[in-house]
Every structure is written in C-alpha cells, then in structure tokens.
C-alpha cells in the first residue's frame, strides 16, 4: 500500500474495480424468496434497500456473504467472485421458477466501489445519481445502479454498470477527482473496517456472530424464518461465541511482513486463534516507515489491549474498526 493511496483514502476518494459476481432474482416472488434465505431483512426497509448479509447452511454456518440491492421486483446479490457458483446453486435449488427466476449478470456488468471521505462528492462531480442516504440504491436510465453503503462499510458507493461502459465510468471518476486503484485498495479498506471476507475470516465452520455480523448490521433478529435462523437466534438469545474477530496492531519493526504461512496467535503460551488478514500501513513519506495491522479470530477471553504473539511477531489486540493515531497524512 502506497502513501499516496493511504492519503487519498483519508482525505480524498479512491475508485477500484471490485472482484465480484452479481446474481439476481427477478419476478413477483423475488423479494419473498430472498427474504427466506438472507440473514438480513430485505422486506422491512422497502424498495431501494441496500444491505449486507449472508446465506447459511441449515446449521447456521456461512456459505456466501454479499450485498443485496432491492429494486422493484428484483433483488441483486453482489458476492465475491469465488462464491458465484455456490450462489447460483443455492438460488436454483431454493427458488421456485414460478415465483422468481435466477439471472447471472456477472458477465454483463462491472462493479466499481468508491471509498474515502470525498466519495460522494466525486460521484456528484461525475454526474452520477447519489442515493438519498446510507443503505439505499437507485437505478439509472443507462441500466446502471448506484448503491450507498451503510455507515461503517468498507466502501461508500457501489456502482454497477454494463460491461461496455466500464472504461467510460473509470474515466469519469478520475476526471472528478478519484484516485483509480486496483482491488488491493478494496482489500485494504476492508481490513481497516474490520469486515470479514470469504476465504479469510469466513470458512465452512464460521457462524455470523463470530465475525461481527451484529456490529455490521448483517443479521436481523426480528424478521421471519430463513435458512439457519434457529442456530443464529439461539446463540443470540441464549449464549455467545467462543471466538471473535479482532484487530491486531503489530509492534514496530522492519516492513517485512509477519511470517508467511504462519497464522497462529498465542497468549500466555497457549494457542488462542489465527491471523486471517494482513495489511501494511505506510507512515508519512519516509520510505519503509509504517506498521503492520491484521485481523484475527481469537478466543473471547483474550480482551482488547492484551499482548499476543501472532504469526511470529508481537502484536496488541484491538477493537474494530481500526483507528490510526500513528498514521500521518502523506
């Protein structure tokens, strides 16, 4: 991560093409069918809702996570690229064709995400329609969608456009003041926000509450039934998870990363978790100056403030999302 990119994320705006797939449900029963699958509530916020959630196994384990946008009788689900086939399989198996049909839009659209305090201003300068508030999505006459993420998300806006218009959109965003980057920038903002990722924090044994779904607004406890709800609700009302997603603030040292392939977190000579994601945060303009941060699934009894040994280096456990008193503007 470069100092210029960190500076743009702190004081400007960054735009990057997201490595995602887009799968939609269309038809009179699309919203109802999706409501019976997602951990979050797509019915209560009404038309134009944009929210985060997951599809679960019957035992409450996360299969797919993503962002749902509701427009009329259609719901689009933007998921990690590697979750495309799994999402299509779940929808095809679970949704009756008489109620809604499944459309794989992945090859037809491109998704850009904007992050940084000036993201909304950049979108307005690029003549894009900005949704009236967080957690909303609007459609344009050009068959595009502009979604505004809820507060605390790792990006501010998600722009879904026809693939043929992707280069034009990138040029408009750059002309409006956005720093164009790649998916590494989105990974960086994800870690800063303490947001879980499929294949990193989330595997086939992860339940929503372990990876901050309550704090992220990714699960509803007031909606009707959905696949896996029994386990999620029982844990919420009667128990707690044994592990939890935390941040790691590595002690100062050379810019070499923590030990590659070694993810163990130990506390008082006992294994208490694993490192799941890492990022380097530059400080100012001094070459090599900065600090490593990370995400880790750690046993709940290890409180924020505790010192641990993580991936072969000393680190302090911190609350999420990250705050950076040690990062100075570039």
């Amino acid at each position: 991560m470069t100092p210029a990119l960190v500076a743009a994320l702190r004081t400007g705006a960054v735009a990057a093409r997201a490595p995602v797939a887009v799968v939609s449900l269309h038809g009179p029963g699309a919203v109802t069918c999706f409501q019976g699958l997602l951990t979050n509530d797509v019915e209560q916020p009404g038309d134009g809702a944009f929210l985060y959630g997951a599809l679960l196994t019957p035992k409450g384990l996360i299969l797919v996570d993503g962002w749902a946008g509701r427009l009329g009788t259609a719901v689009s689900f933007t998921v990690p690229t590697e979750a495309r086939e799994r999402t299509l399989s779940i929808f095809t198996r679970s949704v009756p064709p008489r109620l809604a049909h499944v459309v794989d839009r992945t090859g037809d659209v491109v998704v850009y995400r904007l992050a940084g305090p000036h993201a909304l201003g950049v979108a307005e300068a690029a003549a894009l329609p900005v949704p009236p508030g967080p957690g909303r999505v609007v459609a344009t006459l050009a068959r595009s969608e502009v979604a505004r993420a809820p507060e605390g998300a790792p990006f501010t806006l998600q722009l879904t456009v026809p693939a043929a218009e992707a280069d034009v959109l990138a040029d408009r965003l750059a002309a409006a003041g956005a720093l164009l980057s790649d998916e590494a920038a989105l990974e960086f903002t994800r870690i800063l926000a303490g947001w879980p990722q499929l294949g990193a924090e989330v595997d086939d044994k992860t339940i929503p509450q372990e990876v901050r779904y309550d704090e992220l607004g990714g699960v509803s406890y007031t909606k009707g039934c959905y696949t896996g709800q029994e386990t999620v609700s029982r844990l919420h009302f009667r128990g707690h998870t044994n592990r939890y997603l935390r941040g790691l603030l590595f002690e100062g040292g050379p810019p070499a990363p923590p030990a590659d392939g070694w993810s163990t977190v130990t506390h008082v000579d006992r294994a208490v978790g694993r490192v799941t994601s890492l990022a380097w945060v530059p400080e100012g303009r001094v070459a090599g100056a900065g600090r490593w941060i990370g995400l880790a699934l750690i046993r709940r009894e290890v409180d924020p403030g505790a010192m641990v040994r993580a991936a072969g280096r000393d680190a302090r456990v911190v609350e999420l999302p990250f705050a950076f008193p040690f990062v100075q503007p570039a």
Side-chain angles (χ1 to χ4, degrees), residues 12 34 36-37 41 72 76 78 119 260:
F34 197 69
L37 295 172
D41 192 337
S76 289
T78 304
D260 186 31

Side-chain angles (χ1 to χ4, degrees), residues 8-328:
L9 287 171
R10 296 184 74 239
T11 63
V14 173
R17 184 167 172 170
V20 296
V22 182
V23 180
S24 298
L25 294 180
H26 295 257
V31 173
T32 300
C33 290
F34 197 69
Q35 179 80 342
L37 295 172
L38 194 72
T39 55
N40 215 333
D41 192 337
V42 294
E43 289 185 346
Q44 189 278 329
D47 192 18
F50 183 70
L51 45 84
Y52 178 74
L55 310 180
L56 309 179
T57 70
K59 293 184 177 181
L61 305 176
I62 298 174
L63 286 170
V64 176
D65 69 328
W67 291 89
R70 175 183 171 184
L71 287 169
T73 58
V75 180
S76 289
F77 198 34
T78 304
V79 302
T81 301
E82 60 270 26
R84 171 178 169 268
E85 292 297 333
R86 183 177 291 181
T87 305
L88 286 169
S89 176
I90 294 170
F91 283 175
T92 302
R93 182 176 66 249
S94 305
V95 177
R98 62 184 177 81
L99 297 179
H101 57 279
V102 182
V103 179
D104 183 4
R105 302 172 61 200
T106 306
D108 300 324
V109 299
V110 167
V111 175
Y112 270 84
R113 285 174 174 164
L114 272 71
H118 289 174
L120 296 178
V122 164
E124 292 172 348
L128 296 172
V130 175
R136 308 301 296 174
V137 60
V138 296
T140 74
L141 296 177
R143 297 181 297 114
S144 299
E145 298 162 15
V146 180
R148 185 171 172 182
E151 299 293 339
F155 59 90
T156 303
L157 293 173
Q158 175 174 287
L159 314 174
T160 305
V161 300
E165 299 177 16
D167 291 342
V168 174
L169 174 63
D171 291 341
R172 288 171 62 186
L173 294 174
L179 175 65
L180 297 184
S181 186
D182 56 19
E183 62 187 70
L186 300 179
E187 173 70 357
F188 184 70
T189 61
R190 180 189 73 80
I191 294 173
L192 290 182
W195 214 272
Q197 169 96 346
L198 200 67
E201 290 70 36
V202 178
D203 59 21
D204 59 2
K205 298 179 180 179
T206 306
I207 55 179
Q209 290 100 327
E210 291 178 321
V211 286
R212 303 185 66 237
Y213 267 53
D214 286 345
E215 289 81 355
L216 304 181
V219 59
S220 170
Y221 297 105
T222 59
K223 63 176 282 187
C225 294
Y226 60 88
T227 303
Q229 181 197 30
E230 183 178 354
T231 299
V232 173
S233 295
R234 185 189 308 119
L235 186 64
H236 176 72
F237 291 108
R238 300 182 183 178
H240 61 79
T241 62
N242 292 324
R243 58 179 187 165
Y244 198 67
L245 185 61
R246 298 290 190 191
L248 294 175
L249 194 61
F250 287 88
E251 291 295 281
D260 186 31
W262 184 12
S263 64
T264 303
V265 178
T266 58
H267 179 60
V268 194
D269 298 325
R270 182 169 70 99
V272 294
R274 63 183 177 90
V275 180
T276 55
S277 297
L278 293 168
W280 171 255
V281 185
E283 275 193 68
R285 297 184 179 276
V286 179
R291 201 163 190 175
W292 283 96
I293 62 172
L295 301 178
L297 280 164
I298 301 176
R299 291 195 62 84
R300 289 193 76 109
E301 59 263 30
V302 181
D303 294 324
M307 292 299 299
V308 296
R309 190 75 175 170
R313 291 181 63 172
D314 292 332
R316 184 177 302 278
V317 177
V318 297
E319 297 274 13
L320 294 170
F322 280 100
F324 295 101
F326 57 93
V327 175
Q328 302 299 322

